Amino acid sequence: MDTQPPSSKAYLARMPLEVLTRITYFVRTPDLCNARLTCKWLESALFHSFAYEFFRKKQFMVYGPSLQVLVDISKHPSLSPYLKHVIIGADQILPPHRILSGHDDKESLNWHLAYADQQTLLASGRARDMLVEAFKNLLNLETVDLRDFHSSSRTRDGNATWSSYGYNTLLETTGVKHFTGQPRAGEEDYPTRLFVLITHALAAAKARPEGIEVVIRENWAVRDHGFLVPTYLEPDFLPVLAGLKKLHLVLDINQATHGDVEIQYLLFKRFLAHTPNLTWLRINFRRQISHYGEEEALLKWLASSLRPGTWSSPGLINADPSRLPPPVELDHLEQLDIGQVSVSANTLSRLFRKFSPTLKAISLRRVKMQQNSDQQTFDKDDDEQNPWIKFLRSLKKESLPHLRELNLSFLEAVVRSNTSGATLDYPVVGFVNPDEAEKQNGISATGYQNLQGMVQVIRDRTYTGLKLETFLSNPAADIATPSKHIEGVARLKIPNTR
């Protein structure tokens, strides 16, 4: 077909490509597609921006028509090179008896067929086969991620989302919003099954992505058995793990071994030992489920090192490696994110100290700092009793020469007295907004003590460059703690001796 520019009288053809791309950036998807159908020249001119927007990153689900489109794209000579980020959505088609009544016979039949399709794909291994085929063909594949939501970043079409391919068709033909969201009893293993499906397909395809991500917003997580690397699969599996630079995970304990802290997260520890080239590690824990002992033990293991002159968790040196593997070193780690966990300040400090020679960025999200104190009573107006202030100040004193970014969001803290049982609770550890402080008070935010109650506390703050250095030198200047309270023992009162 002729791809030469049309007549010079054609107004669009005389526009610079940058201007044409900018104009079409603001139109809705159906109008963009219609514009590309106008002529072969216009289709060719807009192809790069179109393919980059709609095919660089694409989400699919375990459903026959959806995975078939992934396979077809992977075989397309023009589109395949653009697809670098494959998302597998945790869209779970529930059993028909779980669906509310009120659907007509055709919708019920369509739902029954869709449910059977998903179950057959998983039970027969066909889902794995289709992923293997696609991953083999995608030569530019960089990231594979598992997520349980549809992104709202599709600004071109108003309130539309980037949903899993096939989702909207199922919604139209069945009348059922099949995305499960919060899991019910018996469904918690579904993300683990999908994680196993993805990692084993990558191994079988001999794919070499740089990143594997698990991004979960509901109360899901990947359980420990999902990290098993069978000995007989190591020749295919280990090169995939060795090539990873980014690993984002949401972890859950193994309920079958709950209580045996030593072997909790055993398979994850072995899995992580095969990822020596990671530059970015994110470990979140399952929301609303807190197992302080197990989470603390895992982070202590991660903070440990068997190298001379380094700290190691007690009992690790002489531990049985079949139950407690040696700690990983991760000599190339540049960013470490920890989230949705209760942990002591000592463990966090040791963790960052271990990776200080290479660490450039730290993110702490929904972290509750636990601390014990020998004080019998607390004074909630004493800022130095806030463990976050002392911890953050220590980051400057620690040797973190390459730290360039610190993200803190939705923090909490609790301090417990070893003698009286009193607790000092900080349900909100937030930050003063300097711009708002200056606007409302006409002064700079030099200390939250002067601004307490005058400005709104924000829960998320990122510090970089000079602002990071200033913050770490005096974190109390930015931190605000509304709603803090003492339980168990009242604040010490000095008796009147007159």
Side-chain angles (χ1 to χ4, degrees):
M1 297 180 64
D2 185 14
T3 60
Q4 296 297 317
S7 168
S8 59
K9 295 181 180 181
Y11 183 73
L12 291 178
R14 290 185 282 117
M15 282 187 177
L17 179 59
E18 294 81 359
V19 176
L20 184 61
T21 302
R22 186 62 178 169
I23 291 174
T24 56
Y25 175 82
F26 294 99
V27 304
R28 298 172 68 89
T29 300
D31 297 325
L32 174 63
C33 293
N34 288 335
R36 295 180 64 247
L37 290 172
T38 302
C39 68
K40 186 65 177 178
W41 179 86
L42 195 57
E43 189 278 335
S44 178
L46 294 175
F47 178 77
H48 173 73
S49 60
F50 170 78
Y52 185 85
E53 178 179 352
F54 290 93
F55 291 93
R56 177 182 59 89
K57 182 180 188 180
K58 202 156 186 68
Q59 183 164 331
F60 305 88
M61 59 184 289
V62 180
Y63 177 53
S66 183
L67 292 184
Q68 186 58 54
V69 168
L70 171 59
V71 173
D72 293 343
I73 293 173
S74 75
K75 294 179 178 179
H76 195 283
S78 299
L79 294 177
S80 178
Y82 281 90
L83 187 51
K84 298 181 178 182
H85 189 150
V86 172
I87 303 168
I88 302 299
D91 305 76
Q92 188 176 13
I93 303 175
L94 300 175
H97 71 270
R98 288 274 306 277
I99 304 305
L100 298 175
S101 59
H103 302 281
D104 59 36
D105 291 344
K106 186 176 181 180
E107 289 178 336
S108 298
L109 175 60
N110 289 338
W111 185 260
H112 178 77
L113 295 175
Y115 172 75
D117 179 277
Q118 188 175 76
Q119 294 301 309
T120 301
L121 284 171
L122 291 169
S124 67
R126 180 58 182 160
R128 174 187 174 278
D129 295 341
M130 297 178 80
L131 287 179
V132 170
E133 184 177 5
F135 292 157
K136 280 184 177 179
N137 296 331
L138 294 173
L139 302 182
N140 294 328
L141 183 64
E142 296 177 354
T143 303
V144 181
D145 89 50
L146 166 64
R147 64 177 57 173
D148 68 342
F149 63 93
H150 297 162
S151 173
S152 58
S153 62
R154 190 173 178 176
T155 55
R156 178 186 290 275
D157 296 306
N159 295 326
T161 61
W162 292 108
S163 57
S164 300
Y165 187 91
Y167 173 91
N168 291 327
T169 300
L170 273 178
L171 187 61
E172 293 171 2
T173 58
T174 65
V176 178
K177 188 175 182 180
H178 61 282
F179 193 62
T180 53
Q182 195 79 351
R184 292 174 48 162
E187 297 171 357
E188 299 93 335
D189 264 353
Y190 188 60
T192 305
R193 295 179 66 189
L194 295 184
F195 183 79
V196 171
L197 173 67
I198 291 168
T199 54
H200 284 244
L202 289 170
K206 293 181 170 53
R208 299 293 183 268
E210 292 186 353
I212 294 177
E213 302 178 19
V214 177
V215 188
I216 292 180
R217 293 182 176 176
E218 296 294 342
N219 194 22
W220 304 88
V222 178
R223 291 181 167 174
D224 196 50
H225 60 268
F227 295 100
L228 176 66
V229 180
T231 304
Y232 55 87
L233 290 181
E234 285 185 353
D236 291 333
F237 223 114
L238 298 190
V240 177
L241 301 183
L244 292 179
K245 294 184 178 180
K246 178 170 59 174
L247 183 62
H248 295 179
L249 297 170
V250 182
L251 304 180
D252 190 14
I253 68 166
N254 186 345
Q255 297 291 345
T257 58
H258 180 48
D260 191 340
V261 175
E262 191 174 80
I263 64 172
Q264 280 298 340
Y265 305 110
L266 171 65
L267 299 179
F268 166 67
K269 294 172 184 175
R270 293 179 178 176
F271 184 95
L272 195 62
H274 298 303
T275 60
N277 296 307
L278 286 183
T279 60
W280 187 359
L281 175 63
R282 173 180 294 166
I283 299 178
N284 290 329
F285 294 86
R286 185 179 176 185
R287 288 180 59 187
Q288 302 175 5
I289 305 294
S290 178
H291 299 279
Y292 174 57
E294 289 87 347
E295 296 163 352
E296 179 86 4
L298 175 60
L299 295 180
K300 281 184 176 179
W301 173 85
L302 187 59
S304 299
S305 175
L306 297 184
R307 290 174 174 171
T310 59
W311 181 85
S312 180
S313 180
L316 188 58
I317 296 178
N318 298 319
D320 179 359
S322 65
R323 291 176 56 84
L324 189 58
V328 294
E329 298 300 338
L330 303 181
D331 292 327
H332 306 286
L333 194 65
E334 296 180 357
Q335 180 162 347
L336 180 58
D337 303 351
I338 303 294
Q340 298 172 180
V341 63
S342 294
V343 63
S344 68
N346 284 340
T347 297
L348 278 184
S349 295
R350 289 164 178 159
L351 185 61
F352 299 139
R353 185 186 306 125
K354 173 182 176 179
F355 299 113
S356 62
T358 57
L359 204 58
K360 296 179 180 179
I362 293 172
S363 176
L364 298 171
R365 180 176 177 82
R366 299 190 186 279
V367 174
K368 184 175 185 178
M369 185 169 287
Q370 306 265 0
Q371 181 170 301
N372 293 326
S373 172
D374 291 330
Q375 291 184 227
Q376 185 175 1
T377 59
F378 299 111
D379 181 351
K380 68 178 184 179
D381 296 324
D382 182 0
D383 303 317
E384 291 303 315
Q385 293 182 357
N386 182 349
W388 278 108
I389 291 178
K390 183 177 180 180
F391 165 76
L392 291 168
R393 191 182 293 128
S394 74
L395 292 184
K396 183 174 179 60
K397 296 178 181 178
E398 305 266 350
S399 177
L400 289 169
H402 304 293
L403 187 64
R404 299 293 181 269
E405 180 176 328
L406 176 64
N407 176 261
L408 304 170
S409 56
F410 299 94
L411 305 180
E412 301 177 49
V414 60
V415 185
R416 294 182 176 86
S417 171
N418 293 325
T419 57
S420 67
T423 61
L424 175 57
D425 191 16
Y426 298 88
V428 175
V429 178
F431 307 90
V432 172
N433 186 329
D435 295 333
E436 183 182 349
E438 292 192 17
K439 179 179 178 181
Q440 293 192 11
N441 304 289
I443 58 174
S444 61
T446 57
Y448 98 85
Q449 299 90 339
N450 300 325
L451 302 169
Q452 190 175 12
M454 300 181 185
V455 295
Q456 183 180 4
V457 174
I458 58 176
R459 301 298 307 275
D460 190 328
R461 193 77 182 268
T462 298
Y463 294 90
T464 59
L466 183 59
K467 290 184 178 180
L468 172 60
E469 184 178 347
T470 302
F471 172 67
L472 293 180
S473 65
N474 184 21
D478 280 8
I479 289 180
T481 53
S483 305
K484 58 188 175 183
H485 59 275
I486 298 173
E487 296 181 358
V489 176
R491 186 176 71 175
L492 180 65
K493 295 183 180 298
I494 301 176
N496 190 341
T497 58
R498 289 186 300 176

Tab-separated table of all heavy atoms in Angstrom, residues 349 352-353 356 362 388-403 406 465-475:
chain	number	residue	atom	x	y	z
A	349	SER	N	17.468	-0.019	61.507
A	349	SER	CA	18.799	0.605	61.451
A	349	SER	C	19.840	-0.373	60.919
A	349	SER	O	20.678	-0.016	60.083
A	349	SER	CB	19.206	1.100	62.840
A	349	SER	OG	18.361	2.130	63.289
A	352	PHE	N	19.424	-0.949	57.049
A	352	PHE	CA	19.966	0.091	56.179
A	352	PHE	C	21.483	0.199	56.304
A	352	PHE	O	22.171	0.533	55.331
A	352	PHE	CB	19.301	1.426	56.491
A	352	PHE	CG	17.811	1.414	56.258
A	352	PHE	CD1	16.948	2.030	57.145
A	352	PHE	CD2	17.277	0.773	55.159
A	352	PHE	CE1	15.583	2.013	56.943
A	352	PHE	CE2	15.914	0.739	54.937
A	352	PHE	CZ	15.063	1.358	55.835
A	353	ARG	N	22.004	-0.084	57.476
A	353	ARG	CA	23.454	-0.060	57.643
A	353	ARG	C	24.121	-1.132	56.780
A	353	ARG	O	25.190	-0.909	56.202
A	353	ARG	CB	23.800	-0.276	59.108
A	353	ARG	CG	25.298	-0.140	59.416
A	353	ARG	CD	25.606	-0.506	60.854
A	353	ARG	NE	24.789	0.247	61.788
A	353	ARG	CZ	24.025	-0.308	62.720
A	353	ARG	NH1	23.964	-1.622	62.832
A	353	ARG	NH2	23.324	0.445	63.546
A	356	SER	N	24.313	0.094	53.215
A	356	SER	CA	24.738	1.488	53.081
A	356	SER	C	25.769	1.739	51.982
A	356	SER	O	25.769	2.828	51.395
A	356	SER	CB	25.276	1.996	54.423
A	356	SER	OG	26.415	1.248	54.832
A	362	ILE	N	15.365	4.983	49.934
A	362	ILE	CA	14.658	4.211	50.955
A	362	ILE	C	13.198	4.641	50.933
A	362	ILE	O	12.895	5.836	50.847
A	362	ILE	CB	15.242	4.454	52.360
A	362	ILE	CG1	16.663	3.896	52.461
A	362	ILE	CG2	14.360	3.823	53.437
A	362	ILE	CD1	17.366	4.275	53.767
A	388	TRP	N	10.479	7.502	65.990
A	388	TRP	CA	10.802	7.859	64.615
A	388	TRP	C	11.818	8.999	64.558
A	388	TRP	O	12.689	9.026	63.690
A	388	TRP	CB	9.533	8.252	63.850
A	388	TRP	CG	8.766	7.079	63.341
A	388	TRP	CD1	7.582	6.607	63.801
A	388	TRP	CD2	9.144	6.214	62.258
A	388	TRP	NE1	7.195	5.490	63.090
A	388	TRP	CE2	8.136	5.234	62.130
A	388	TRP	CE3	10.235	6.166	61.395
A	388	TRP	CZ2	8.189	4.223	61.166
A	388	TRP	CZ3	10.288	5.157	60.431
A	388	TRP	CH2	9.279	4.208	60.330
A	389	ILE	N	11.699	9.944	65.469
A	389	ILE	CA	12.630	11.081	65.458
A	389	ILE	C	14.053	10.608	65.725
A	389	ILE	O	15.003	10.989	65.021
A	389	ILE	CB	12.183	12.135	66.484
A	389	ILE	CG1	10.882	12.788	66.023
A	389	ILE	CG2	13.270	13.184	66.698
A	389	ILE	CD1	10.325	13.815	66.982
A	390	LYS	N	14.205	9.759	66.717
A	390	LYS	CA	15.538	9.249	67.033
A	390	LYS	C	16.074	8.385	65.892
A	390	LYS	O	17.250	8.475	65.514
A	390	LYS	CB	15.486	8.439	68.329
A	390	LYS	CG	16.840	7.913	68.787
A	390	LYS	CD	16.716	7.178	70.114
A	390	LYS	CE	18.070	6.657	70.563
A	390	LYS	NZ	17.969	5.929	71.851
A	391	PHE	N	15.218	7.559	65.312
A	391	PHE	CA	15.648	6.688	64.224
A	391	PHE	C	16.086	7.499	63.007
A	391	PHE	O	17.149	7.243	62.422
A	391	PHE	CB	14.512	5.745	63.847
A	391	PHE	CG	14.702	5.063	62.523
A	391	PHE	CD1	15.596	4.011	62.390
A	391	PHE	CD2	13.999	5.484	61.406
A	391	PHE	CE1	15.782	3.383	61.161
A	391	PHE	CE2	14.172	4.863	60.176
A	391	PHE	CZ	15.074	3.811	60.059
A	392	LEU	N	15.283	8.465	62.600
A	392	LEU	CA	15.607	9.248	61.417
A	392	LEU	C	16.872	10.069	61.625
A	392	LEU	O	17.676	10.218	60.694
A	392	LEU	CB	14.432	10.149	61.061
A	392	LEU	CG	13.192	9.415	60.548
A	392	LEU	CD1	11.985	10.341	60.504
A	392	LEU	CD2	13.444	8.813	59.173
A	393	ARG	N	17.039	10.565	62.828
A	393	ARG	CA	18.263	11.305	63.117
A	393	ARG	C	19.490	10.405	62.998
A	393	ARG	O	20.568	10.827	62.578
A	393	ARG	CB	18.171	11.924	64.511
A	393	ARG	CG	19.272	12.931	64.806
A	393	ARG	CD	19.143	13.479	66.220
A	393	ARG	NE	17.947	14.278	66.386
A	393	ARG	CZ	17.047	14.092	67.351
A	393	ARG	NH1	17.213	13.113	68.223
A	393	ARG	NH2	15.990	14.871	67.447
A	394	SER	N	19.311	9.128	63.345
A	394	SER	CA	20.440	8.201	63.282
A	394	SER	C	20.857	7.902	61.850
A	394	SER	O	21.990	7.498	61.602
A	394	SER	CB	20.079	6.882	63.991
A	394	SER	OG	19.177	6.108	63.213
A	395	LEU	N	19.953	8.090	60.908
A	395	LEU	CA	20.315	7.829	59.508
A	395	LEU	C	21.415	8.772	59.050
A	395	LEU	O	22.232	8.415	58.207
A	395	LEU	CB	19.088	7.967	58.605
A	395	LEU	CG	17.987	6.930	58.770
A	395	LEU	CD1	16.885	7.153	57.746
A	395	LEU	CD2	18.546	5.507	58.640
A	396	LYS	N	21.429	9.964	59.574
A	396	LYS	CA	22.482	10.906	59.189
A	396	LYS	C	23.805	10.501	59.828
A	396	LYS	O	24.857	10.621	59.213
A	396	LYS	CB	22.090	12.318	59.606
A	396	LYS	CG	23.089	13.382	59.175
A	396	LYS	CD	22.577	14.764	59.488
A	396	LYS	CE	23.594	15.821	59.089
A	396	LYS	NZ	23.899	15.795	57.645
A	397	LYS	N	23.746	10.011	61.053
A	397	LYS	CA	24.958	9.599	61.738
A	397	LYS	C	25.492	8.290	61.176
A	397	LYS	O	26.687	8.038	61.201
A	397	LYS	CB	24.684	9.469	63.235
A	397	LYS	CG	24.313	10.781	63.912
A	397	LYS	CD	24.003	10.582	65.381
A	397	LYS	CE	23.605	11.891	66.041
A	397	LYS	NZ	23.259	11.710	67.471
A	398	GLU	N	24.584	7.455	60.674
A	398	GLU	CA	25.010	6.202	60.052
A	398	GLU	C	25.749	6.545	58.762
A	398	GLU	O	25.633	7.647	58.210
A	398	GLU	CB	23.795	5.329	59.739
A	398	GLU	CG	22.904	5.044	60.917
A	398	GLU	CD	23.252	3.739	61.585
A	398	GLU	OE1	24.057	2.993	61.012
A	398	GLU	OE2	22.739	3.491	62.673
A	399	SER	N	26.480	5.603	58.255
A	399	SER	CA	27.216	5.836	57.009
A	399	SER	C	26.324	5.478	55.821
A	399	SER	O	26.272	4.328	55.386
A	399	SER	CB	28.492	4.983	56.985
A	399	SER	OG	29.180	5.143	55.784
A	400	LEU	N	25.602	6.484	55.349
A	400	LEU	CA	24.760	6.308	54.153
A	400	LEU	C	25.192	7.343	53.126
A	400	LEU	O	24.460	8.281	52.805
A	400	LEU	CB	23.282	6.481	54.507
A	400	LEU	CG	22.645	5.369	55.341
A	400	LEU	CD1	21.272	5.787	55.834
A	400	LEU	CD2	22.548	4.084	54.551
A	401	PRO	N	26.396	7.184	52.606
A	401	PRO	CA	26.969	8.241	51.777
A	401	PRO	C	26.256	8.473	50.462
A	401	PRO	O	26.372	9.549	49.885
A	401	PRO	CB	28.406	7.751	51.540
A	401	PRO	CG	28.331	6.258	51.684
A	401	PRO	CD	27.302	6.025	52.741
A	402	HIS	N	25.514	7.457	49.971
A	402	HIS	CA	24.911	7.583	48.649
A	402	HIS	C	23.404	7.831	48.707
A	402	HIS	O	22.753	7.875	47.660
A	402	HIS	CB	25.186	6.326	47.827
A	402	HIS	CG	26.638	5.988	47.705
A	402	HIS	ND1	27.531	6.774	47.013
A	402	HIS	CD2	27.361	4.949	48.219
A	402	HIS	CE1	28.747	6.230	47.080
A	402	HIS	NE2	28.668	5.133	47.815
A	403	LEU	N	22.845	7.972	49.914
A	403	LEU	CA	21.401	8.149	50.037
A	403	LEU	C	20.978	9.471	49.405
A	403	LEU	O	21.459	10.534	49.772
A	403	LEU	CB	20.984	8.108	51.509
A	403	LEU	CG	19.472	8.111	51.769
A	403	LEU	CD1	18.829	6.858	51.211
A	403	LEU	CD2	19.184	8.236	53.256
A	406	LEU	N	14.378	9.721	50.233
A	406	LEU	CA	13.726	9.083	51.367
A	406	LEU	C	12.234	9.362	51.280
A	406	LEU	O	11.803	10.518	51.309
A	406	LEU	CB	14.286	9.613	52.691
A	406	LEU	CG	13.630	9.088	53.977
A	406	LEU	CD1	13.854	7.594	54.130
A	406	LEU	CD2	14.174	9.838	55.192
A	465	GLY	N	17.861	15.434	47.904
A	465	GLY	CA	18.873	16.480	47.850
A	465	GLY	C	19.104	17.195	49.168
A	465	GLY	O	19.186	16.596	50.232
A	466	LEU	N	19.144	18.515	49.094
A	466	LEU	CA	19.422	19.340	50.264
A	466	LEU	C	18.306	19.224	51.309
A	466	LEU	O	18.565	19.252	52.517
A	466	LEU	CB	19.608	20.804	49.845
A	466	LEU	CG	19.967	21.786	50.968
A	466	LEU	CD1	21.271	21.372	51.636
A	466	LEU	CD2	20.059	23.206	50.409
A	467	LYS	N	17.056	19.073	50.852
A	467	LYS	CA	15.939	18.924	51.790
A	467	LYS	C	16.082	17.645	52.609
A	467	LYS	O	15.712	17.613	53.784
A	467	LYS	CB	14.617	18.931	51.039
A	467	LYS	CG	14.248	20.286	50.455
A	467	LYS	CD	12.879	20.256	49.806
A	467	LYS	CE	12.505	21.642	49.279
A	467	LYS	NZ	11.159	21.646	48.644
A	468	LEU	N	16.624	16.600	52.000
A	468	LEU	CA	16.847	15.358	52.726
A	468	LEU	C	17.901	15.567	53.810
A	468	LEU	O	17.724	15.140	54.954
A	468	LEU	CB	17.295	14.261	51.753
A	468	LEU	CG	17.748	12.943	52.390
A	468	LEU	CD1	16.620	12.311	53.202
A	468	LEU	CD2	18.243	11.977	51.315
A	469	GLU	N	18.978	16.229	53.472
A	469	GLU	CA	20.046	16.478	54.440
A	469	GLU	C	19.545	17.319	55.606
A	469	GLU	O	19.839	17.043	56.780
A	469	GLU	CB	21.212	17.170	53.737
A	469	GLU	CG	22.409	17.395	54.631
A	469	GLU	CD	23.568	18.031	53.895
A	469	GLU	OE1	23.530	18.070	52.645
A	469	GLU	OE2	24.516	18.497	54.561
A	470	THR	N	18.739	18.340	55.302
A	470	THR	CA	18.192	19.203	56.341
A	470	THR	C	17.232	18.435	57.246
A	470	THR	O	17.255	18.579	58.477
A	470	THR	CB	17.462	20.400	55.708
A	470	THR	OG1	18.371	21.116	54.869
A	470	THR	CG2	16.899	21.327	56.773
A	471	PHE	N	16.398	17.608	56.647
A	471	PHE	CA	15.419	16.835	57.409
A	471	PHE	C	16.098	15.867	58.366
A	471	PHE	O	15.728	15.769	59.538
A	471	PHE	CB	14.497	16.088	56.453
A	471	PHE	CG	13.578	15.118	57.135
A	471	PHE	CD1	12.565	15.556	57.971
A	471	PHE	CD2	13.724	13.748	56.939
A	471	PHE	CE1	11.711	14.657	58.605
A	471	PHE	CE2	12.889	12.840	57.563
A	471	PHE	CZ	11.869	13.299	58.401
A	472	LEU	N	17.104	15.134	57.887
A	472	LEU	CA	17.771	14.146	58.731
A	472	LEU	C	18.556	14.797	59.861
A	472	LEU	O	18.776	14.171	60.904
A	472	LEU	CB	18.683	13.263	57.879
A	472	LEU	CG	17.980	12.342	56.879
A	472	LEU	CD1	18.996	11.515	56.103
A	472	LEU	CD2	16.980	11.421	57.568
A	473	SER	N	18.968	16.037	59.675
A	473	SER	CA	19.693	16.712	60.742
A	473	SER	C	18.762	17.141	61.874
A	473	SER	O	19.176	17.254	63.025
A	473	SER	CB	20.436	17.928	60.190
A	473	SER	OG	19.514	18.894	59.714
A	474	ASN	N	17.477	17.350	61.539
A	474	ASN	CA	16.513	17.763	62.566
A	474	ASN	C	15.113	17.304	62.156
A	474	ASN	O	14.264	18.121	61.770
A	474	ASN	CB	16.540	19.278	62.751
A	474	ASN	CG	15.630	19.730	63.882
A	474	ASN	OD1	15.276	18.949	64.771
A	474	ASN	ND2	15.229	20.996	63.851
A	475	PRO	N	14.830	16.007	62.220
A	475	PRO	CA	13.530	15.507	61.762
A	475	PRO	C	12.355	16.040	62.570
A	475	PRO	O	11.239	16.133	62.056
A	475	PRO	CB	13.662	13.988	61.903
A	475	PRO	CG	14.788	13.770	62.857
A	475	PRO	CD	15.713	14.915	62.658
